[in-house]
Amino acid sequence: MLLTNLQNKTVRIWNYLKGDKSFSLQSRIYNSVCVVTIAVMVYNVPFSLALGLYDSVLATLVLIPLQFYLYYLSRFKGKTALSSVFLILIVNLFFAVSYSLNSGIQGSSLLSFSISYFVIIAIVPRRQYWFWTIVNISLVMGLIIWEYYHPELVSERYPTRADRFIDIASTYIMNIILTFSCLSYIINNYSLERVTAEASAAGLAQLNQQKNKLITIISHDFNAPLNNINSYLYVLSNRDLNLEDKKKYENELKRITFDTQNLLLNLLNWSKSNMEGISYVLEEVNLNDAMNDTLNVYQSIAVEKEIRLAYEISADTDVIANFELVEIIFRNLISNAIKFTPRNGIVRVFSSMSDGFHIISVSDTGPGIPSEKQIDIFTTDISPTFGTARERGAGLGLKICDEFVQYLGGEIWFDTIAGLGTTFSVKLPAA
């Protein structure tokens, strides 16, 4: 348990040092390189002291605070590109000086140029690869040629043969460790980025499929009622109808118009939440105020369908929510309840209190939800739905309800019994 806690704490510290996923992958790799470089420099101080390489110790002590500043510039100021250029220049300068002060080609500095090149390629954009490759090769070849013609300018700093072997061997091991660590980190992160990209692509493909399906439904659902409205208006204006037939046509026009308007509102809300995201202020909302307009509209529709709409929520029922979202949620739930309730049925809207939450329920006496459809009731599986009087919908309403209830910090669920009806319940924080 202690080991697990230590590992978790180490991971949290490392994630903080390199930056979270709000940083680009390149920035996280660069920040990791900075941290590792600082660690290597700190390690180099006592190691060089032990070998008597005092010039190397002095140079490292000067570079450590500079390296800290470059890390700060990238991690906390967001200037990764600027910081990386300075880091590359400083690292190359450091190894070039170290080469001349630490036995040249006979020392360990030449090995360090290979790991510095690997680090450079890991942190720079792809378009700069050739430039820094040429710089690295030119610098190393220049130092070797310079030493070849001026060997007296290169300092021999190893007190014993054993010191040279220890320095070169430890540098090689450090390079292998750094290469392995950096490569593993890069591969793991690219794998994670690929998985994330694939998931995003799958989500976009599904959204595109839903969009195509939605367009098909819209083309029918808007065309059919508009044709019906046009036909009814033609009949009303060109034929002499008795009062009963006229009222029948007017009621049918009212129902079709309202269903079409409700579909349009759902489409707008669904598009807004999926494309723009949801951004609403949460405040104290009185349920009666939020449902008043919806109840007035659906009361007349319920009467025409010979359904009793019973509203049983007290006037002082307040929730922490958003007025517009509450209105949308219960407009859809009440609309669905009336749509799927047969004539002479009852739709009830009532509430109860539980642990600081109001549970608002909308029940109907319809046929219930078939078991094969229950699992997908809140998904974006868009498909047309038909009520008991052939009222048509796009199947978006419940998905919108689910998204908006979650945004409000609540819960939504349903209970259904075949042949007896369905109850949808929404749990929202009480004011």
Side-chain angles (χ1 to χ4, degrees), residues 369-387:
I369 302 171
S371 57
E372 66 273 11
K373 292 186 177 181
Q374 292 179 18
I375 193 170
D376 297 323
I377 201 73
F378 293 120
T379 67
T380 52
D381 183 20
I382 301 168
S383 55
T385 58
F386 298 91

Side-chain angles (χ1 to χ4, degrees), residues 204-253:
L204 288 173
Q206 184 180 9
L207 193 62
N208 188 59
Q209 185 180 5
Q210 294 295 335
K211 180 200 70 175
N212 293 335
K213 195 173 183 180
L214 190 61
I215 290 172
T216 302
I217 294 171
I218 291 170
S219 64
H220 181 278
D221 281 21
F222 275 99
N223 187 53
L226 289 175
N227 283 337
N228 288 338
I229 289 170
N230 189 48
S231 299
Y232 288 140
L233 288 173
Y234 177 82
V235 170
L236 288 171
S237 60
N238 291 279
R239 294 187 183 179
D240 292 328
L241 301 172
N242 58 43
L243 191 61
E244 184 179 348
D245 287 339
K246 188 175 182 180
K247 185 177 180 181
K248 177 183 175 182
Y249 280 122
E250 288 174 349
N251 289 339
E252 188 65 18
L253 275 173

Side-chain angles (χ1 to χ4, degrees), residues 143-172:
L143 287 169
I144 292 173
I145 293 169
W146 173 75
E147 182 188 359
Y148 181 81
Y149 288 105
H150 302 282
E152 72 281 357
L153 297 178
V154 175
S155 302
E156 176 63 47
R157 290 301 178 91
Y158 292 110
T160 67
R161 185 166 176 265
D163 291 334
R164 171 179 284 136
F165 275 74
I166 291 170
D167 185 28
I168 293 174
S170 63
T171 301
Y172 171 77

Side-chain angles (χ1 to χ4, degrees), residues 20-26 28-29 186-200:
D20 56 27
K21 289 190 176 182
S22 62
F23 290 78
S24 67
L25 178 59
Q26 186 179 348
R28 297 200 303 271
I29 292 172
I186 291 170
I187 291 171
N188 288 338
N189 276 274
Y190 272 115
S191 296
L192 289 173
E193 292 285 328
R194 188 183 71 250
V195 170
T196 302
E198 288 173 354
S200 298

Side-chain angles (χ1 to χ4, degrees), residues 390-403:
R390 301 302 296 167
E391 305 98 323
R392 187 180 174 93
L396 276 174
L398 291 175
K399 175 58 183 173
I400 292 170
C401 290
D402 183 48
E403 288 182 4

